């Protein structure tokens, strides 16, 4: 039974949906309703966009120093309320409390601090006379109202990845969180109202129709989504009708290439952690391993042993690496992928739902799969790691690139030249060498092919939320 109700945040106020409609929010650890959220319709989206549009008249004219000050205050407020935010995020997602506190909250405030600084050092081409008697210079300006849609796997961090650069650049925002995880988004939006003028940051909860109404609305000049390839294609198609700028961070199927000279034990331990963290619900997760012929058998054995030592369970259990899958649909997807394993493949460990309540799934290792199997080609998005055996470097590269995605990858080898060759040839936006999954505010994250386009984090993200204007002045007599 619902014991709390979330609200939209529009024009600086906490409000219900115009219709008063709500929908259920499910606790993934037990499958029961624990809260309700506004089911926003077109009129709610209209009001949020009107508020953001009006606020842009003043926020878009603020100085970088003024915007930086606001973002730094938000970062401090996140740190001050870290325990509360952690518990809200954990309740909504089923994530372990301890790991959420140590792995997600510190980067969340750091991203705000980074973009506060970035706002003050945005650069353009040097002014100069590129045509006789004419001086040219470049202005980087905010785009205006930005519509944003965030996913359920990292509700808090993905919201921050979107709003921090957008606000730092001088834009205003209307954001719709995932329908299954609105809790931390509404809490963060409420927190931000103390430091931002009304209408600068607005959050409307709802379902796919709400997101569609936001993307199709005429007011936003840019839309940004983190989600599935299907959703990204729909957004891109909708935005094209109105010539909106689009920023897409979509799915991934990261190849993890382990060469024969790699340290098998340490690689297996690191890859297990990077593959099972957050229940594998991460577009960059290390869940598709390609192992060399000399280490394949030993690696499968080591990874299987590592998986058997990993536990999933309730958020307050300090010994678990990951919690429940986010929702029943995702549990069914993961279960189906494993249950449909072809005859030529092997289930090394796991492969079952854990318990009868909640959406828990065992750490799973699959081997013997072929390149065209759906478990290799399609995103499972769960605690399932596959291992293929490649014959040589050329085959490893061909298989690594032989998927529709191009988000992230990693190479495990002691051969520097080989690592450099692979980093050049891998068709992925991120290449890690002898590690997998670290992110830092200063470096960009974003993919190629069906993983989308545009960058999160770094100065590249800040630039994505600006427009470039050329100003030329005649200086002749």
């Amino acid at each position: 039974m619902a014991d709390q109700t979330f609200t939209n945040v529009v024009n600086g106020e906490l409000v219900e949906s115009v219709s008063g409609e709500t929908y259920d929010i499910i606790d993934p650890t037990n499958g029961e309703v624990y809260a309700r959220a506004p089911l926003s319709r077109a009129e709610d989206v209209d009001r949020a966009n009107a508020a953001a549009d009006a606020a842009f008249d003043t926020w878009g004219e603020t100085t970088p120093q003024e915007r930086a000050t606001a973002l730094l205050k938000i970062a401090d407020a996140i740190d001050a309320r870290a325990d509360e935010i952690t518990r809200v995020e954990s309740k909504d997602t089923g994530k372990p409390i301890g790991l959420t506190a140590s792995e997600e909250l510190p980067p969340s405030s750091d991203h705000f601090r980074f973009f506060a600084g970035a706002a003050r050092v945005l650069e353009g081409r040097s002014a100069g006379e590129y045509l006789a008697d004419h001086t040219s210079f470049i202005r980087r300006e905010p785009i205006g109202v930005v519509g944003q849609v965030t996913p359920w796997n990292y509700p808090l961090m993905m919201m921050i990845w979107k709003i921090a650069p957008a606000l730092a650049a001088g834009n205003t925002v209307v954001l719709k969180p995932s329908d299954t995880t609105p809790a931390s988004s509404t809490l963060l939006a409420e927190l931000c109202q103390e430091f931002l003028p009304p209408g600068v940051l607005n959050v409307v909860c709802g379902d796919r129709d709400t997101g569609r109404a936001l993307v199709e609305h005429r007011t936003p000049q840019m839309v940004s989504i983190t989600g599935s390839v299907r959703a990204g294609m729909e957004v891109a198609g909708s935005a094209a009708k109105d010539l909106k700028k689009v920023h897409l961070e979509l799915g991934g199927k990261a190849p993890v290439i382990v060469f024969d000279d790699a340290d098998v034990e340490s690689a297996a331990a690191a890859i297990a952690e990077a593959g099972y963290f957050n229940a594998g619900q991460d577009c960059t997760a290390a869940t598709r391993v390609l192992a060399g012929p000399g280490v394949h058998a030993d690696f499968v054995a080591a990874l299987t042993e590592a998986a058997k030592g990993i536990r999933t369970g309730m958020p307050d259990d300090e010994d678990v690496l990951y919690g429940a899958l986010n929702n029943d649909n995702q549990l069914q997807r993961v279960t189906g992928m494993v249950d449909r394993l072809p005859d030529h493949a092997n289930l090394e460990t796991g492969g079952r739902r854990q318990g009868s309540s909640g959406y828990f799934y065992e750490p799973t290792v699959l081997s013997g799969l072929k390149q065209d199997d759906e478990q290799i080609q399609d995103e499972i998005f769960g605690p399932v790691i596959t291992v293929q055996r490649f014959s040589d470097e050329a085959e490893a590269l061909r298989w690594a690139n032989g998927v529709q995605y191009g988000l992230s990858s990693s190479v495990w080898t002691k051969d520097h030249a080989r690592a450099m060759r692979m980093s050049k040839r891998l068709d992925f936006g991120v290449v890690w060498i002898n590690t997998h999954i670290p992110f830092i505010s200063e470096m960009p994250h974003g993919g190629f092919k069906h993983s989308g386009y545009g960058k999160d984090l770094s100065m590249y993200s800040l630039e994505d939320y600006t427009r470039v204007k050329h100003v030329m002045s005649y200086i002749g007599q």
Side-chain angles (χ1 to χ4, degrees):
M1 183 175 182
D3 58 8
Q4 63 185 119
T5 302
F6 306 125
T7 60
N8 291 336
V9 180
V10 177
N11 202 30
E13 298 180 350
L14 311 185
V15 296
E16 299 177 349
S17 63
V18 173
S19 67
E21 293 178 274
T22 61
Y23 67 95
D24 293 339
I25 306 298
I26 306 298
D27 182 339
T29 67
N30 56 29
E32 298 178 359
V33 176
Y34 89 93
R36 300 185 68 80
L39 182 56
S40 302
R41 303 293 189 183
E43 188 173 356
D44 300 285
V45 175
D46 284 340
R47 291 187 175 191
N49 275 290
D53 194 33
F56 179 69
D57 289 342
T58 53
W59 183 252
E61 295 296 323
T62 55
T63 64
Q65 186 273 336
E66 290 172 315
R67 298 194 295 273
T69 297
L71 266 59
L72 290 172
K73 289 179 179 178
I74 293 171
D76 290 342
I78 290 174
D79 287 344
R81 298 175 65 177
D83 288 346
E84 175 190 2
I85 296 171
T86 295
R87 292 190 176 277
V88 167
E89 183 79 335
S90 175
K91 181 70 172 178
D92 217 24
T93 62
K95 298 173 187 277
I97 293 172
L99 283 174
T100 303
S102 64
E103 302 299 321
E104 296 192 32
L105 266 293
S108 294
S109 56
D110 181 67
H111 295 328
F112 272 109
R113 292 190 176 98
F114 171 80
F115 284 109
R120 303 184 70 168
V121 294
L122 188 61
E123 298 176 348
R125 182 185 297 273
S126 172
E129 288 67 51
Y130 301 95
L131 177 67
D133 294 333
H134 294 76
T135 295
S136 288
F137 66 92
I138 296 295
R139 292 180 55 89
R140 276 200 173 271
E141 301 176 339
I143 293 170
V145 177
V146 179
Q148 300 179 326
V149 179
T150 52
W152 47 254
N153 57 335
Y154 292 101
L156 177 70
M157 283 210 299
M158 294 300 98
M159 178 180 181
I160 291 171
W161 282 21
K162 292 192 181 301
I163 68 172
L167 297 176
N171 302 287
T172 56
V173 171
V174 179
L175 181 141
K176 190 201 86 70
S178 167
D179 57 348
T180 65
T181 55
S184 61
S185 300
T186 56
L187 175 59
L188 179 60
E190 179 184 352
L191 176 154
C192 288
Q193 300 312 306
E194 181 179 350
F195 312 107
L196 299 172
V200 171
L201 173 61
N202 308 272
V203 168
V204 289
C205 302
D207 56 14
R208 287 183 179 180
D209 289 339
T210 313
R212 188 174 293 109
L214 174 57
V215 169
E216 295 177 353
H217 201 277
R218 295 300 301 271
T219 297
Q221 296 299 299
M222 175 179 177
V223 292
S224 174
I225 177 176
T226 297
S228 68
V229 174
R230 175 200 55 77
M233 288 180 172
E234 289 184 6
V235 168
S238 174
K241 296 177 182 177
D242 201 28
L243 294 179
K244 289 180 171 68
K245 186 175 183 179
V246 181
H247 180 285
L248 302 174
E249 199 278 281
L250 308 176
K253 194 69 175 175
V256 182
I257 307 170
V258 181
F259 284 97
D260 286 347
D261 62 344
D263 184 318
V264 170
E265 293 297 327
S266 63
I271 290 166
E273 185 171 350
Y276 296 125
F277 185 82
N278 202 40
Q281 298 172 127
D282 189 317
C283 298
T284 65
T287 54
R288 181 168 66 105
V289 179
L290 309 174
V295 296
H296 175 267
D298 289 342
F299 182 85
V300 170
L303 180 64
T304 299
E305 193 64 25
K308 290 178 178 178
I310 289 174
R311 293 183 55 231
T312 178
M314 298 298 286
D316 58 356
D317 187 336
E318 296 181 356
D319 294 325
V320 303
L321 177 65
Y322 67 90
L325 295 172
N326 180 259
N327 54 75
D328 184 61
N329 286 340
Q330 192 58 30
L331 175 63
Q332 297 308 315
R333 176 176 178 80
V334 173
T335 301
M337 281 286 199
V338 177
D339 289 350
R340 293 192 300 273
L341 202 63
D343 291 340
H344 55 260
N346 303 307
L347 173 62
E348 301 290 344
T349 188
R352 295 183 300 273
R353 178 181 182 177
Q354 179 172 297
S356 58
S357 63
Y359 311 131
F360 297 95
Y361 200 85
E362 296 176 335
T364 300
V365 176
L366 308 177
S367 66
L369 288 158
K370 297 180 180 180
Q371 182 66 13
D372 58 354
D373 289 331
E374 65 171 329
Q375 293 83 0
I376 298 298
Q377 291 295 319
D378 297 333
E379 198 170 25
I380 300 175
F381 222 58
V384 180
I385 300 179
T386 65
V387 186
Q388 295 170 271
R389 180 186 183 277
F390 67 83
S391 59
D392 55 28
E393 184 177 317
E395 185 171 64
L397 183 67
R398 186 169 65 254
W399 284 358
N401 288 336
V403 294
Q404 65 175 325
Y405 304 100
L407 187 58
S408 62
S409 59
S410 65
V411 178
W412 300 74
T413 180
K414 297 174 184 176
D415 186 331
H416 176 74
R418 171 184 284 155
M420 291 298 97
R421 287 195 303 273
M422 296 298 289
S423 67
K424 174 184 177 181
R425 296 169 181 168
L426 282 166
D427 197 12
F428 296 84
V430 178
V431 180
W432 288 290
I433 298 173
N434 294 325
T435 187
H436 194 107
I437 224 167
F439 291 103
I440 51 176
S441 298
E442 293 84 355
M443 289 292 112
H445 173 65
F448 310 141
K449 300 190 293 188
H450 281 193
S451 290
Y453 41 81
K455 298 298 181 183
D456 290 316
L457 305 176
S458 80
M459 291 298 296
Y460 294 99
S461 178
L462 184 64
E463 291 174 359
D464 275 354
Y465 286 98
T466 68
R467 64 184 189 181
V468 175
K469 178 185 290 183
H470 169 219
V471 179
M472 178 183 280
S473 178
Y474 178 69
I475 61 174
Q477 297 183 356

